Amino acid sequence: MTSKKSLAKPLLYTFLTGLKGPAIAPAAINFIVISLLVLLEPLSTIARDMPSMDDKGGTIVQKASDLYIYYIYNIGDILSVFLLICVCITSLIAAVFSFKFITSKKTVNVYYSLGISRDKLFFGKYLSGALLMVLSIALPFLFSFISNIIFIGYSTELLAAVVFYMLSYSAVALVVFSVTAAAFSAVGTLFEASIFSAVTLAFPTIFFSCLQTLMRVFLNGSPFGASFFYTNSADDFYRASTEKLYWQFDYLNPLLFDYKALSKWAVMGVSRTNSGLGFNSSEVLSWYPSILRSLCWIGVSIAVMFIGTYIFQKRKAEICGFIGTNKILNSFATFTIGFFFLNVIIDSASEVLSTTLTLVIGFALFAVLYIVIELLLLRDFKAFVRGLYKLPVEMATAGIIIAVFMAGLFGYSSRMPDISDISKVAVSAVGTGTEYGYLSSGGYGNSLSASEDFSYNSILGLVDGFTSQNDVKAISDLHQRLITLGNVDVTPYTEKEVLGNERILPVTLQFVYTLKDGRTVMRSYDAATSDILKAFLELENTDLYKERLYKVFNEKLSDETSKATLYEAKDEAVLEYTKQAIRNGQNSISIVTQNGLSTLNLTLNMAEKAELARCLYKDLAKRTPAQKYFPAQNPLGIIDFKFMGYFSDSGPALPYATAPFVDSIVGTDIVSDEDSSSGSSDVSDNTQSSDDASATQKSPLKISPLSASASTNTTENSTQEPTTETTTEATQAASPVTDTTQTDLSEPDTKVPETTDPSSEPQNGEIGEVLDKAVKTYSTFTLRAYKTSKFNEALSIVLTHDMENTINFLKSKGLFEELEDKSDYTQAEIISTATYNSNHEYFNYGVNSVVRFFCGSFTKKPEQSKEEYIYSEFDQINKYTTSSPADVSEIFKASRFLYYNNSDSGYYVRFISKDGNSRVTMFVPYTMLEDSIAKKVKEFESSNSYFADGVIGGYGSKYVY
Amino acid sequence: MIEVKNLTKRYGSFTALQDISLSVDKGDIYGLVGYNGAGKTTLLKNISGVYKPEEGGVYYNSKPVFDNPKIKEKIFFIPDDLYFGTYANMNKMAAFYNGYYSKFDYSTFKRLTEAFGLDPTKRINGFSKGMQRQAEMVLALSTRPEVILLDESFDGIDPQKRILIKGLVTEYINDFEASVIISSHNLTELEDLCTDIGIINGKKIVISGKVSSLSFGKSKYRLAFNRPFSLDEFSGIEAQGLRKDGQLAIFTVMGDSDEIQEKIKALKPAVIERINLSLEEIFMEEMEEGDYDLKKIFS
């Protein structure tokens, strides 16, 4: 061998040997996994032609370029999650392989005595391992980029997406690698390095989880919201605010900072509105994936690398192989893990156990975990005993943190912005508001109907847009009442004796103040008294609600359907739908009878529909929340408006967007689209129109043949008119009518029009002509008031006795008598809500909202077999039953089909008709039930178990959940 | 020149070395002797820059060694517990050291590999312990270090190879004016190799100096009497290890002054025999003053 002198470059050599070192194994695994997912599956899709059906049912062949702008991986699977986990694990292993040499005496003796400085040794090892991980991520995506260009073609969107994925996953890999490398520098064993890096990486998630738990449980007025099904706000802040805290601050999370985006941008369809994509069309059109977070976290990784280098330089070589040498990290790990599980206990047990017991259990678990982890880290009992003083110190620290939250976090919980600083408020509403253009439950709620006997409707959700001084003041007063109430525990359902306002009810009440300087203050409360809840119902007296009601009944209708789905629908779309459902000529109207047993499908002509709308507006404008939610008499029923096809995910679209048709329905607007301003002042015309139903008949609104075909019982007059001419005439003829219906909202209570003349004959005055042949459709279990259709598109308005205009209209059509419950009930079964609730827990789909609005239901139609209602809860429980005609009559008088139920304040009662075919369930407020009957119920319930003999629990009972 | 100045090393609350000072000149072979656990390895790791001392420091030509790659490149540390890559052979390890030592010489590597009869293509972890030590010595000398630190490096090497290594080390020292610090608990292994000896005891270097001068610090006497005598007669002499063996009296004294000679002659022995102390005897003398298990040291 010839002599050759070395020209050693230690850093370069360390780097190069690192590339060939053991870290190549996890990098290779990562490369293979990512390649399989972003190359194999996509290639099998985009490299071949795809047959599909054309509009006529024939088969056509489409190329990938016809379908996609790019295709990186199939987001239909959970690949992005799997990839993220894979990247995290392989990065951690790569760091372990790169730096485990400093945990062995043998290797430390060699490496630390070599002619290389410690910082260069660390940097060389770091660089090689990090580069391997980045390459294992970048190469598959680079290949994916090339294959996309080959099979689909280049686009800037493709480039942006590929860069995003490369950077995002690389940033995760670098963060994990850097933290693990730094952890290795600080400790003596591989075990410790792995534990500490895992705890450090999980720390942001743990921190925000704990923060959320402490705020939610101990802080009166937490600064993040609940999961409302519905908010009318178009501002994403309100939706984001309902997320868990660690999702809200995901940008601070080293593992999850791009989690949400990773499943979003993997595929982009040519149409950009492909429902299979992970994002909605507006996002695609507006945004490219942001690489800002990735770049920031890469920056953090570099910072961590420098910290690791510094620690590596200062590291004492003699700690290698020795466990428990880093006391700071030991305490960090024991405290973090202990505190996290303490919070898990607080989070899960605080709902069912007292605060004291919850904390005792939580701290006991804290102590156990401390002992286990400390013993694992020290492996030396004497050292463990010597360090045992840290346990009370850590527990005291945890206790102080909790105490700070319980004490209101230094005044944080009682802070309320000054009214003069507020520009806008959003607040959770506890009532129902379909008549104001709010869809309850955002279209997918109301799955809380516990059984056919007891049905509930969720509260509305977050209502945004309160801006007037009066409204802001009213809401601030509500907020102050909750602050004054303080951090109180919800009264358990099992405590039956606590009644009325003494009872603390579980309810999510949220305030979001937007200040004039642009900042936002949010507070959320999860308990209230029934008095406070009733005060919240007064929100329907605010300027905002009045304005909404005005818009629903007066604002011009749009000519277009909604592009959004019902689920996506935000404020304006929902408001527009409400307008269309009530005022569009193609709507359908039905009435649910007082006992809920029947649905009357109305067939009204345009004039009648307009008249009905006018009557409703006048009644609703003056109806108080008390009349709506606490009716003195049993409501007459519910009037439902429905307009299928408005949202993209509901029923078949109606062809009303064609020009002639649009013209025809313009005439159904209550406000003239030509002169809406003039209409608002002509109260006399309004009165004239309302006074005289014949005015409507004298100038009937014409409808087009197309719309006429949809209505089977329209007048001959209207159907015989030529379409185009009639349309013009209709519009012209409608003008005086629509002008007159313009109500001056500034004084709604003082300008109540006279009622419709009940004696005037309607154009289709006979009942048989107003109702279609299937007039009486018996209902099934489904709630009628607020869930009349699959998509919950029905806008339901409770018909209360104070609605004299509407009632007179119904009387004029001969409908009124159809509504009243004239059933011959011979038996009443009654159970107190307290007893019922103490035996039930409610479904909770992440919703902390209380369901409040009781809506009666019914269990049987005449032709049903008995088996169909076997699951009726009333059949399985012991309930006080009376057949005394006097008692049944008394209870019936006190019963309400619809009533705002405070959950603790009344009775559920089921009436059985003489023939047994009608079984109607209603609600009786405590104050309305005769004392003698109430006493009998109480005596019965105190001496009988809840479930009937042989029943171990039924649908809806707590034993089932 | 390697210079250790007031070095103190602690492991937590335990002090392993305290205020150690020594110096090793070019061409010196410094033997570091002490019982097991005395701190020899700790001292070598401090000298090699593996450990950082809490106090004091290690200097090479007046420059600090710790985390100083330019200096550390001139030093090669062969620890007691050798490390080779899991699947490494000598060629791979040569490539490894070649990456960090700019003076690595492949011709030396080849020559020494052949001299030891080692196969550079075979896995080193398959070698015997002795062969592994030879392999490490080959690699060390191939890096052409100016300082070689050997920690118990003759353990497990057969006598023939031991002689070979000693010869190589001596030759290397002479050729390159290098320095060697070699630790051992076995004094006899160092006796014929070292130019200097340091005895480490009780966290400190208790004796340090040239082998040639070390033994003369103490003198051993054997006196033969042709009359009965008692040990009490020696009270005027600061005799160490005084014992009576028949008509013989054996003891050690520090120094060799005329005063001592006169005191000895005053006892009127028939014969006075003065003997130079061996290294082992010096070591034992030192250790006997402490409470140590000498069997372990000379095992």
Side-chain angles (χ1 to χ4, degrees):
Chain A
M1 187 183 286
T2 55
S3 173
K4 60 176 182 181
K5 292 284 182 180
S6 168
L7 293 170
K9 292 181 179 173
L11 174 60
L12 181 64
Y13 182 76
T14 305
F15 169 68
L16 293 175
T17 50
L19 289 179
K20 295 182 285 185
I24 202 168
I29 291 169
N30 200 41
F31 173 80
I32 291 166
V33 171
I34 297 177
S35 297
L36 284 173
L37 300 181
V38 306
L39 285 175
L40 205 62
E41 190 279 332
L43 277 175
S44 69
T45 302
I46 63 176
R48 62 186 171 84
D49 295 337
M50 280 160 278
S52 61
M53 300 280 280
D54 63 11
D55 294 340
K56 296 172 183 174
T59 303
I60 57 169
V61 174
Q62 288 182 297
K63 294 183 174 174
S65 56
D66 297 331
L67 297 169
Y68 304 108
I69 293 174
Y70 63 78
Y71 192 115
I72 296 176
Y73 60 72
N74 182 2
I75 58 171
D77 302 326
I78 53 168
L79 294 189
S80 51
V81 180
F82 181 71
L83 279 183
L84 191 63
I85 293 169
C86 178
V87 167
C88 289
I89 291 173
T90 52
S91 302
L92 192 139
I93 295 171
V96 167
F97 283 178
S98 295
F99 288 94
K100 69 174 182 181
F101 75 95
I102 56 171
T103 60
S104 159
K105 280 184 184 177
K106 280 186 181 183
T107 45
V108 161
N109 287 340
V110 172
Y111 276 97
Y112 278 16
S113 64
L114 291 173
I116 181 171
S117 61
R118 286 192 178 188
D119 55 350
K120 285 182 179 171
L121 179 60
F122 183 89
F123 187 64
K125 290 279 186 184
Y126 177 92
L127 211 58
S128 57
L131 183 65
L132 282 173
M133 287 311 302
V134 170
L135 285 175
S136 73
I137 292 162
L139 288 177
F141 282 107
L142 187 63
F143 296 148
S144 170
F145 181 64
I146 294 167
S147 66
N148 267 274
I149 291 175
I150 293 170
F151 293 106
I152 297 176
Y154 173 80
S155 63
T156 52
E157 288 92 340
L158 168 66
L159 181 63
V162 168
V163 168
F164 166 75
Y165 279 102
M166 276 185 182
L167 283 177
S168 189
Y169 283 118
S170 295
V172 172
L174 287 175
V175 170
V176 174
F177 191 87
S178 303
V179 168
T180 310
F184 264 99
S185 298
V187 297
T189 64
L190 192 152
F191 171 74
E192 284 175 299
S194 305
I195 291 285
F196 292 143
S197 51
V199 172
T200 306
L201 289 165
F203 183 76
T205 310
I206 290 173
F207 175 80
F208 286 114
S209 296
C210 292
L211 190 61
Q212 173 156 333
T213 298
L214 294 175
M215 285 180 163
R216 187 184 65 75
V217 176
F218 295 122
L219 206 59
N220 184 34
S222 71
F224 54 90
S227 306
F228 287 107
F229 274 141
Y230 175 71
T231 168
N232 72 316
S233 174
D235 187 342
D236 277 342
F237 171 76
Y238 300 122
R239 290 185 186 277
S241 68
T242 64
E243 292 177 326
K244 287 192 180 295
L245 212 53
Y246 58 80
W247 284 124
Q248 288 188 49
F249 292 95
D250 59 356
Y251 55 87
L252 294 177
N253 196 311
L255 308 180
L256 304 175
F257 62 88
D258 258 342
Y259 177 83
K260 291 177 200 162
L262 287 174
S263 60
K264 243 181 192 178
W265 305 99
V267 185
M268 185 181 279
V270 168
S271 70
R272 300 189 179 211
T273 55
N274 188 334
S275 61
L277 304 182
F279 40 82
N280 64 40
S281 54
S282 59
E283 278 182 300
V284 177
L285 295 171
S286 309
W287 298 97
Y288 281 108
S290 170
I291 58 171
L292 183 63
R293 290 185 178 188
S294 304
L295 293 177
C296 287
W297 277 102
I298 289 171
V300 170
S301 303
I302 293 168
V304 173
M305 182 205 72
F306 280 116
I307 293 169
T309 307
Y310 177 78
I311 301 170
F312 195 80
Q313 282 178 307
K314 301 293 176 189
R315 184 176 193 272
K316 290 192 169 188
E318 56 267 29
I319 65 170
C320 69
F322 288 98
I323 201 162
T325 52
N326 194 318
K327 291 185 171 57
I328 295 173
L329 283 179
N330 270 19
S331 296
F332 170 69
T334 51
F335 184 79
T336 303
I337 295 171
F339 195 66
F340 172 68
F341 281 96
L342 166 63
N343 274 270
V344 168
I345 294 293
I346 291 171
D347 192 37
S348 54
S350 62
E351 301 284 332
V352 289
L353 301 176
S354 70
T355 303
T356 308
L357 188 56
T358 300
L359 289 177
V360 167
I361 294 170
F363 275 105
L365 181 63
F366 187 113
V368 169
L369 285 169
Y370 174 91
I371 291 167
V372 171
I373 297 165
E374 191 77 348
L375 281 173
L376 274 173
L377 291 174
L378 295 178
R379 314 262 177 96
D380 179 347
F381 189 72
K382 285 183 180 173
F384 166 74
V385 172
R386 278 199 303 275
L388 206 52
Y389 70 91
K390 290 186 293 180
L391 175 59
V393 171
E394 289 189 10
M395 289 176 75
T397 307
I400 290 168
I401 293 171
I402 290 170
V404 165
F405 277 87
M406 291 176 92
L409 198 60
F410 308 115
Y412 182 93
S413 67
S414 57
R415 184 192 165 222
M416 207 166 67
D418 195 83
I419 291 175
S420 60
D421 295 334
I422 299 167
S423 67
K424 189 180 75 163
V425 189
V427 65
S428 48
V430 299
T432 59
T434 56
E435 62 265 46
Y436 301 101
Y438 300 124
L439 274 183
S440 63
S441 310
Y444 286 99
N446 215 357
S447 35
L448 295 163
S449 49
S451 71
E452 72 274 32
D453 289 314
F454 310 112
S455 301
Y456 302 85
N457 187 59
S458 64
I459 64 169
L460 182 59
L462 201 64
V463 173
D464 192 15
F466 294 93
T467 54
S468 77
Q469 280 290 300
N470 287 339
D471 288 2
V472 171
K473 173 74 171 56
I475 292 167
S476 295
D477 289 346
L478 290 172
H479 191 171
Q480 188 58 55
R481 289 187 69 168
L482 285 165
I483 290 173
T484 306
L485 179 66
N487 193 12
V488 288
D489 288 337
V490 169
T491 310
Y493 283 119
T494 47
E495 291 186 21
K496 296 195 292 182
E497 301 306 317
V498 182
L499 297 174
N501 208 45
E502 297 299 310
R503 199 170 184 89
I504 305 298
L505 305 166
V507 60
T508 297
L509 299 170
Q510 186 167 313
F511 302 83
V512 186
Y513 298 97
T514 303
L515 306 185
K516 287 173 181 168
D517 62 7
R519 289 183 300 127
T520 305
V521 176
M522 176 186 273
R523 292 292 184 273
S524 186
Y525 300 81
D526 56 8
T529 61
S530 56
D531 275 358
I532 291 176
L533 282 184
K534 286 174 189 170
F536 265 76
L537 293 172
E538 292 296 324
L539 285 173
E540 295 185 24
N541 265 336
T542 54
D543 295 342
L544 176 68
Y545 270 73
K546 289 170 185 170
E547 183 190 337
R548 299 277 300 196
L549 192 67
Y550 175 84
K551 285 182 176 176
V552 166
F553 285 91
N554 296 279
E555 206 171 56
K556 183 181 179 299
L557 296 180
S558 168
D559 296 342
E560 296 176 358
T561 55
S562 171
K563 290 187 176 65
T565 63
L566 179 59
Y567 184 72
E568 294 170 346
K570 292 183 181 176
D571 192 29
E572 288 305 315
V574 176
L575 180 63
E576 183 60 33
Y577 172 73
T578 308
K579 288 156 56 182
Q580 299 279 357
I582 292 178
R583 290 156 52 200
N584 191 302
Q586 298 307 300
N587 63 357
S588 58
I589 305 171
S590 57
I591 297 180
V592 180
T593 59
Q594 190 177 39
N595 58 11
L597 281 171
S598 305
T599 298
L600 314 175
N601 295 326
L602 308 189
T603 306
L604 303 176
N605 64 25
M606 290 297 186
E608 290 166 334
K609 285 182 177 179
E611 180 61 16
L612 174 59
R614 275 194 292 273
C615 293
L616 276 171
Y617 178 61
K618 288 169 190 166
D619 290 333
L620 294 176
K622 66 174 182 171
R623 186 165 75 171
T624 64
Q627 289 171 322
K628 175 181 173 183
Y629 292 109
F630 306 101
Q633 292 176 268
N634 197 9
L636 291 161
I638 300 153
I639 183 161
D640 280 353
F641 293 90
K642 200 186 301 179
F643 185 55
M644 295 301 287
Y646 180 74
F647 293 114
S648 62
D649 59 346
S650 57
L654 295 169
Y656 68 94
T658 57
F661 197 76
V662 170
D663 289 342
S664 74
I665 61 169
V666 168
T668 65
D669 266 355
I670 294 173
V671 174
S672 163
D673 60 322
E674 293 167 359
D675 186 12
S676 58
S677 58
S678 63
S680 61
S681 60
D682 192 354
V683 180
S684 59
D685 285 349
N686 177 14
T687 311
Q688 179 192 347
S689 170
S690 302
D691 287 347
D692 188 1
S694 63
T696 315
Q697 292 149 21
K698 286 170 188 169
S699 302
L701 294 172
K702 304 295 189 289
I703 57 175
S704 69
L706 184 57
S707 62
S709 67
S711 301
T712 52
N713 290 324
T714 48
T715 64
E716 285 184 12
N717 245 0
S718 58
T719 53
Q720 286 169 359
E721 292 291 331
T723 305
T724 51
E725 292 173 13
T726 309
T727 304
T728 310
E729 286 173 22
T731 309
Q732 291 166 347
S735 295
V737 177
T738 53
D739 286 346
T740 59
T741 55
Q742 195 64 43
T743 305
D744 184 353
L745 280 171
S746 62
E747 298 176 88
D749 293 332
T750 58
K751 294 190 183 298
V752 178
E754 292 177 24
T755 56
T756 308
D757 181 4
S759 63
S760 62
E761 286 298 313
Q763 194 166 353
N764 298 308
E766 298 302 319
I767 295 172
E769 292 177 343
V770 174
L771 309 178
D772 69 17
K773 292 176 183 174
V775 53
K776 289 185 181 179
T777 55
Y778 284 90
S779 307
T780 59
F781 301 150
T782 313
L783 258 183
R784 302 313 307 270
Y786 290 94
K787 195 180 180 185
T788 48
S789 69
K790 180 185 175 186
F791 290 99
N792 208 17
E793 284 179 274
L795 298 171
S796 305
I797 298 171
V798 180
L799 289 169
T800 47
H801 286 273
D802 55 273
M803 298 171 71
E804 51 187 1
N805 292 291
T806 308
I807 290 170
N808 283 335
F809 174 84
L810 295 174
K811 282 179 178 174
S812 72
K813 304 300 177 192
L815 289 167
F816 185 76
E817 289 72 22
E818 293 293 317
L819 300 179
E820 284 188 312
D821 188 358
K822 295 167 187 164
S823 305
D824 181 15
Y825 297 121
T826 56
Q827 184 176 308
E829 300 166 340
I830 189 164
I831 182 167
S832 69
T833 54
T835 297
Y836 176 80
N837 291 333
S838 66
N839 284 280
H840 288 71
E841 291 173 1
Y842 298 103
F843 281 115
N844 187 342
Y845 294 104
V847 184
N848 204 20
S849 313
V850 162
V851 286
R852 292 283 154 213
F853 199 60
F854 177 80
C855 176
S857 65
F858 35 88
T859 59
K860 192 168 187 250
K861 53 186 180 179
E863 65 270 25
Q864 273 184 312
S865 66
K866 199 169 185 178
E867 286 71 25
E868 288 185 62
Y869 58 89
I870 195 167
Y871 297 113
S872 168
E873 187 124 0
F874 261 107
D875 293 334
Q876 300 182 50
I877 60 177
N878 287 314
K879 63 274 176 185
Y880 174 73
T881 304
T882 178
S883 300
S884 155
D887 283 357
V888 171
S889 172
E890 199 62 43
I891 296 169
F892 186 75
K893 270 190 268 178
S895 297
R896 299 288 179 271
F897 181 57
L898 290 151
Y899 200 86
Y900 193 77
N901 174 19
N902 285 332
S903 174
D904 61 328
S905 56
Y907 304 86
Y908 299 123
V909 58
R910 182 168 75 168
F911 296 101
I912 313 288
S913 64
K914 190 174 183 180
D915 60 4
N917 286 334
S918 298
R919 299 151 72 95
V920 175
T921 307
M922 292 201 268
F923 177 75
V924 183
Y926 268 124
T927 52
M928 294 186 187
L929 189 65
E930 193 179 76
D931 288 346
S932 60
I933 301 173
K935 191 177 174 188
K936 289 176 193 169
V937 174
K938 189 171 184 180
E939 284 173 1
F940 178 86
E941 289 180 0
S942 61
S943 56
N944 287 279
S945 62
Y946 180 74
F947 286 108
D949 291 342
V951 176
I952 57 169
Y955 182 76
S957 79
K958 67 179 177 182
Y959 306 106
V960 173
Y961 296 147
Chain B
M1 183 178 74
I2 283 281
E3 201 171 7
V4 177
K5 288 183 183 174
N6 307 111
L7 184 147
T8 297
K9 181 65 193 172
R10 296 190 194 94
Y11 297 132
S13 58
F14 173 74
T15 302
L17 297 173
Q18 190 161 28
D19 200 25
I20 299 270
S21 294
L22 63 89
S23 63
V24 182
D25 289 329
K26 281 185 179 176
D28 283 354
I29 300 176
Y30 190 98
L32 194 59
V33 186
Y35 62 93
N36 288 341
K40 303 184 297 292
T41 300
T42 300
L43 182 56
L44 287 179
K45 285 183 177 179
N46 276 281
I47 294 171
S48 64
V50 174
Y51 287 175
K52 185 181 182 185
E54 269 67 39
E55 293 169 24
V58 180
Y59 303 89
Y60 180 73
N61 292 339
S62 303
K63 290 175 184 168
V65 172
F66 183 77
D67 212 20
N68 187 342
K70 286 184 179 173
I71 297 299
K72 285 165 75 176
E73 198 197 20
K74 302 175 193 295
I75 300 172
F76 197 101
F77 174 45
I78 300 180
D80 181 27
D81 203 359
L82 298 174
Y83 164 76
F84 304 101
T86 312
Y87 299 103
N89 56 31
M90 286 190 68
N91 283 337
K92 284 185 178 175
M93 289 309 294
F96 175 78
Y97 286 115
N98 182 46
Y100 292 102
Y101 288 88
S102 59
K103 292 181 183 171
F104 191 90
D105 186 63
Y106 271 102
S107 60
T108 304
F109 173 71
K110 187 186 177 200
R111 184 169 55 83
L112 292 179
T113 306
E114 288 171 354
F116 280 98
L118 297 169
D119 184 346
T121 61
K122 281 194 173 176
R123 271 183 62 194
I124 303 176
N125 284 338
F127 288 178
S128 68
K129 189 180 177 185
M131 288 168 76
Q132 287 183 355
R133 291 207 174 280
Q134 294 163 40
E136 189 70 7
M137 185 62 75
V138 169
L139 291 163
L141 296 177
S142 302
T143 64
R144 298 287 178 85
E146 294 176 20
V147 177
I148 303 173
L149 305 173
L150 304 169
D151 189 11
E152 307 279 4
S153 291
F154 294 116
D155 254 17
I157 299 179
D158 61 65
Q160 187 190 354
K161 290 289 188 315
R162 194 178 299 170
I163 291 165
L164 179 60
I165 289 173
K166 284 181 178 178
L168 276 171
V169 168
T170 308
E171 187 185 336
Y172 184 84
I173 300 294
N174 292 334
D175 289 352
F176 294 98
E177 285 195 313
S179 308
V180 173
I181 301 176
I182 180 166
S183 78
S184 179
H185 57 271
N186 194 334
L187 197 57
T188 52
E189 282 194 343
L190 304 181
E191 201 165 17
D192 57 344
L193 180 67
C194 297
T195 58
D196 295 69
I197 285 289
I199 295 176
I200 188 166
N201 183 16
K203 306 169 189 175
K204 294 183 176 180
I205 299 276
V206 289
I207 290 178
S208 181
K210 295 286 178 190
V211 172
S212 54
S213 61
L214 257 182
S215 52
F216 301 127
K218 283 187 178 182
S219 298
K220 187 176 181 180
Y221 286 88
R222 188 157 53 187
L223 309 182
F225 289 89
N226 52 11
R227 64 174 176 83
F229 71 96
S230 78
L231 294 178
D232 294 339
E233 297 175 43
F234 290 79
S235 58
I237 302 168
E238 290 182 4
Q240 295 174 348
L242 176 65
R243 59 190 168 91
K244 186 178 178 185
D245 187 2
Q247 291 299 98
L248 293 176
I250 303 164
F251 62 93
T252 307
V253 291
M254 280 299 293
D256 191 31
S257 64
D258 291 341
E259 187 188 352
I260 293 173
Q261 292 285 340
E262 287 303 316
K263 284 181 181 177
I264 290 172
K265 283 177 185 172
L267 293 173
K268 296 180 179 173
V271 178
I272 300 173
E273 187 182 12
R274 186 174 151 275
I275 312 159
N276 284 338
L277 282 169
S278 69
L279 269 177
E280 188 172 321
E281 284 171 319
I282 294 167
F283 190 87
M284 285 184 70
E285 288 281 348
E286 279 303 318
M287 294 305 162
E288 277 175 351
E289 288 178 10
D291 186 19
Y292 308 121
D293 186 353
L294 297 178
K295 284 181 184 172
K296 283 185 180 176
I297 296 171
F298 295 104
S299 59

